[in-house]
């Protein structure tokens, strides 16, 4: 879809440049392509934006640089023009990607922070393990569009707690998260392409188990800001599970 958008935008730039070439200089036409690259970069990931930048230079050369309709360049000075145009397009795409990433991270932080308040209050009202798991599942679904499975350590194995989601778990990643006290799986340094994230549940008296979080859209968990929020959620969940377990 991103490449299709890029093709349509560059086609529009080419048609517009062809119509206006009688009144514009070649340099002016180059700015049209830079504008097109900027528009595309605001929509698509960096890889597609880079392809768009390279393609814009190729189209500019083919349709507007003498001799036209060939990739042959009669004046070698245009090589410098191509280089500057390409570097400018790449800078634009990089800046657009950074702005988009920061905007997503800010939105994620705001959504997660807003969800922390009801999570804390609801967990304090939970008096049983089932109620605590239900609160965790509901709030993680609302904040992260993800399903949750609470895996509590029993001896050398894990047991599903409460009415957790019926998810297929990776026992190896769950053990890694439990043993290392560090998150594993999706979005982490350990198996970042996994379908779920595994976060250790660490209470005030030690490790309780692992929180498995399976997002509807796994790529959304690749953002560092979201990983920090997930760990905050796991910490709150661990304290609540520890508290209700002590009441039994």
């Amino acid at each position: 879809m991103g490449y299709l958008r890029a093709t349509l935008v560059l086609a529009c730039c080419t048609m517009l440049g062809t119509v206006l070439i009688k009144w514009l200089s070649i340099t002016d036409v180059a700015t049209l392509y830079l504008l097109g690259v900027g528009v595309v970069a605001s929509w698509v990931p960096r890889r597609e934006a880079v392809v768009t930048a390279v393609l814009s230079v190729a189209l500019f050369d083919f349709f507007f640089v003498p001799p036209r309709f060939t990739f042959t360049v009669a004046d070698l000075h245009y090589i410098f023009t191509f280089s500057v145009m390409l570097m400018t397009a790449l800078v634009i795409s990089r800046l657009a990607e950074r702005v988009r990433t920061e905007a997503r991270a800010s939105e994620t932080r705001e959504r997660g922070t807003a969800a922390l308040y009801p999570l804390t209050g609801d967990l304090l009202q939970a008096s049983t393990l089932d109620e605590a798991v239900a609160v965790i599942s509901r709030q993680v679904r609302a904040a992260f569009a993800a399903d949750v499975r609470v895996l509590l350590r029993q001896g050398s194995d894990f047991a599903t707690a409460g009415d957790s989601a019926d998810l297929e778990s990776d026992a190896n990643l769950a053990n890694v998260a439990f043993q290392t006290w560090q998150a594993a799986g999706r979005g982490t340094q350990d198996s970042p392409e996994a379908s779920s994230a595994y976060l250790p549940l660490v209470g005030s008296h030690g490790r309780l188990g692992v929180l498995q979080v399976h997002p509807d859209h796994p790529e959304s968990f690749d953002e560092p800001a979201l990983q920090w929020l997930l760990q905050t959620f796991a910490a709150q969940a661990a304290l609540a599970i520890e508290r209700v377990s002590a009441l039994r």
Side-chain angles (χ1 to χ4, degrees), residues 132-188:
V133 172
V135 170
I136 294 167
S137 299
R138 183 173 66 252
Q139 294 298 343
V140 171
R141 162 54 58 183
F144 303 106
D147 294 322
V148 171
R149 188 178 187 187
V150 178
L151 301 170
L152 296 183
R153 192 74 165 186
Q154 293 186 354
S156 60
D157 298 318
F158 289 104
T160 302
D163 189 21
S164 296
D166 184 17
L167 300 175
E168 182 177 348
S169 301
D170 187 320
N172 182 56
L173 287 178
N175 274 309
V176 168
F178 184 82
Q179 297 295 341
T180 64
W181 301 55
Q182 298 290 329
R186 187 73 199 194
T188 70

Side-chain angles (χ1 to χ4, degrees), residues 172-236:
N172 182 56
L173 287 178
N175 274 309
V176 168
F178 184 82
Q179 297 295 341
T180 64
W181 301 55
Q182 298 290 329
R186 187 73 199 194
T188 70
Q189 293 183 352
D190 195 318
S191 301
E193 300 302 320
S195 60
S196 296
Y198 295 81
L199 302 105
L201 291 169
V202 182
S204 58
H205 299 295
R207 296 165 294 175
L208 306 173
V210 173
L211 187 69
Q212 179 188 357
V213 186
H214 183 78
D216 295 342
H217 305 287
E219 64 277 2
S220 66
F221 273 32
D222 296 338
E223 299 178 16
L226 191 142
Q227 286 295 321
W228 177 83
L229 285 170
L230 281 173
Q231 293 179 32
T232 303
F233 264 71
Q236 294 286 341

Side-chain angles (χ1 to χ4, degrees), residues 27-60:
T27 303
D28 294 331
V29 174
T31 61
L32 288 177
Y33 281 105
L34 291 178
L35 176 62
V37 171
V39 171
V40 172
S42 67
W43 295 337
V44 302
R46 178 167 171 77
R47 178 181 300 178
E48 296 172 15
V50 170
V51 172
T52 303
V54 174
L55 184 58
S56 70
V57 174
L59 290 174
F60 174 67

Side-chain angles (χ1 to χ4, degrees), residues 3 14 81 83 93 97 100 121 124 133 135 193 196 201 205 233 244:
Y3 290 113
T14 301
T81 302
S83 301
S93 66
E97 173 71 13
R100 190 165 55 247
L124 287 175
V133 172
V135 170
E193 300 302 320
S196 296
L201 291 169
H205 299 295
F233 264 71
V244 297

